[in-house]
Amino acid sequence: MTASPSPSVLDLAPVIPVVVVEDLVDAVPLARALVAGGLPAIEVTLRTPVALDAIRAIADGVPDAVVGVGTVISPGQVSDALAAGARFLVSPGWTDVLLESMRASGAPFLPGVSTTSEVVALLERGVREMKFFPAEAAGGAAYLKALAGPLPQARFCPTGGVGPANAPEYLALPNVACVGGSWMLPADAIASHDWDRVEALARQAAGLGSAQV
């Protein structure tokens, strides 16, 4: 039995924004801009002290957002993120302990992989949806294309080095459901609170999916 929900978080939009929230006051307007631009699934990474508070603020203040948590590497982070309102879990890699914690949470999860053996190991454990990370450094679209033949049952969200220039190449692959990235969140736009620009960039990213149909 797989851990994937129906519908899958991978199918909500062609791009999952990977968000690093430095200032808590940015969390809600940033999420509103992404949702308005057509990117409802938002991965808030656990890389800053305010990350859990940001997840809580988005969950409470942006009902149309499907807020998730990224950079999950321990069972404690799983429980903390869910308590804050996270609706899906993303890890850069996985162990059996972490995998079982994510599975037991009942939330959709994307364990990170970068090798064929890791993919096979997850398929053996009933997991079919995965994060491919770090995508470009681990072989990029060519690597995932090579996996599609022998392992067609695996679906991926490549993240790491993915941007508007190479996202279409990934999205054209049969085993790629969406990509993760942060290019729609340029640092200068966040610093100046230019949420209209973030929304415009999010809308462009959301449009990448229609080009692959």
Side-chain angles (χ1 to χ4, degrees):
M1 185 175 183
T2 70
S4 305
S6 181
S8 168
V9 67
L10 295 184
D11 297 322
L12 294 177
V15 180
I16 296 179
V18 179
V19 179
V20 179
V21 179
E22 301 284 355
D23 190 333
L24 185 57
V25 300
D26 294 336
V28 167
L30 182 155
R32 285 176 177 159
L34 292 172
V35 171
L39 302 180
I42 301 171
E43 175 188 338
V44 177
T45 64
L46 293 178
R47 301 181 193 176
T48 67
V50 300
L52 289 173
D53 288 332
I55 291 169
R56 187 173 292 106
I58 293 170
D60 291 342
V62 192
D64 291 334
V66 180
V67 61
V69 60
T71 325
V72 175
I73 59 172
S74 72
Q77 290 176 332
V78 170
S79 56
D80 288 346
L82 293 180
R87 294 169 60 184
F88 64 93
L89 308 162
V90 184
S91 67
W94 66 278
T95 65
D96 280 321
V97 170
L98 180 59
L99 186 69
E100 287 313 306
S101 177
M102 292 193 293
R103 191 195 301 272
S105 75
F109 60 90
L110 297 174
V113 297
S114 60
T115 69
T116 306
S117 293
E118 290 174 311
V119 176
V120 172
L122 284 177
L123 291 174
E124 187 178 75
R125 290 160 173 78
V127 179
R128 296 180 58 187
E129 298 188 343
M130 312 167 196
K131 172 179 179 175
F132 181 57
F133 176 83
E136 282 293 283
Y143 193 99
L144 288 178
K145 183 177 181 180
L147 290 184
L151 302 171
Q153 61 271 61
R155 300 177 78 218
F156 299 97
C157 175
T159 307
V162 180
N166 60 2
E169 182 180 7
Y170 282 101
L171 291 168
L173 298 175
N175 56 349
V176 170
C178 64
V179 300
S182 57
W183 72 86
M184 72 296 300
L185 299 163
D188 58 338
I190 303 301
S192 63
H193 296 167
D194 189 351
W195 308 123
D196 288 341
R197 182 180 172 201
V198 171
E199 180 180 339
L201 291 170
R203 185 169 290 107
Q204 292 173 10
L208 291 173
S210 60
Q212 309 309 315
V213 177

